[in-house]
Amino acid sequence: MSRTPKATPWWRRPVVITPVLIVLLCGAMVQQTTFVGPEGFSSEQAGSSTDEAVALARDGYESTVLPAVTEDPVPLVDVVAAAQEDPEAAGEELGTHEVDGKPYSYAVTATGTVTEGEFGEVALEVDGLPEGITVGVAVPPYGSSTALRDVGLEVQYGDFENQIAYQAVAFELNSLAAEDAFDGAEADDLLGKQVTVVGAITWASSTGGDVTHLQILPVRIEEQG
């Protein structure tokens, strides 16, 4: 989408970003390493500090992340069916992850009706999902999910100076995606409407058990009808 000058969304203002990032990443262990950029980026363009990590996210969002998410997203119902049958095989075929042992993330698309959701999201009622699986669509500022980073950029923790810099990439990508997907609109305006969402998910459980809820980090939201 074209970017025209407009007021900075509240979640992208420094007074909000800095404290939130500190809270999200408090206690992270420092690991001194040399940055190795993802395909399409050189070490001169990127870097291991937090500022350089944010610059990497900004440079790569439109050129790398958006195409990775939007060019060939998998229907969410297909991802769920495959992952429930065999999570590892589904991930190898349809998803991507940082390293072995980490959960897989997927570029997905889903159409459904928007309803009231949990904190930080609206719910999406999607036909064809198995019983016991619910779906939410993240609302700004998207929090600390790494799904967009993991789908769109070939980076790993060891590429960065520390966990704070590594997480800063995800945080900045999430902010850019929120700006694109909502474009200043309020999430409540979508309630009761049928929409098609394109974004990223991670197949993982917040409780450590079976996956029962998926949150889509949208880069595109289109009303239907």
Side-chain angles (χ1 to χ4, degrees), residues 75-145:
L76 180 63
V77 292
D78 293 348
V79 170
V80 171
Q84 284 189 325
E85 180 177 348
D86 188 332
E88 189 66 23
E92 289 291 335
E93 180 182 358
L94 304 172
T96 182
H97 63 178
E98 178 190 354
V99 293
D100 290 345
K102 293 287 188 178
Y104 283 92
S105 294
Y106 301 83
V108 299
T109 181
T111 298
T113 302
V114 178
T115 62
E116 294 280 357
E118 300 177 6
F119 178 77
E121 63 181 36
V122 292
L124 189 67
E125 297 181 350
V126 180
D127 290 338
L129 287 176
E131 186 176 352
I133 295 288
T134 59
V135 179
V137 177
V139 300
Y142 288 15
S144 59
S145 171

Side-chain angles (χ1 to χ4, degrees), residues 24 43 83:
L24 290 172
S43 58

Side-chain angles (χ1 to χ4, degrees), residues 3 28 39 143 166 180 223:
R3 296 184 180 276
E39 183 178 354
Y166 186 41
D180 261 358
E223 291 186 31

Side-chain angles (χ1 to χ4, degrees), residues 130-174:
E131 186 176 352
I133 295 288
T134 59
V135 179
V137 177
V139 300
Y142 288 15
S144 59
S145 171
T146 64
L148 287 171
R149 183 195 67 197
D150 296 342
V151 167
L153 292 179
E154 295 180 12
V155 294
Q156 300 179 9
Y157 170 57
D159 297 335
F160 296 85
E161 183 179 30
N162 52 49
Q163 180 68 26
I164 294 176
Y166 186 41
Q167 187 63 30
V169 177
F171 192 86
E172 182 64 18
L173 290 175
N174 293 353

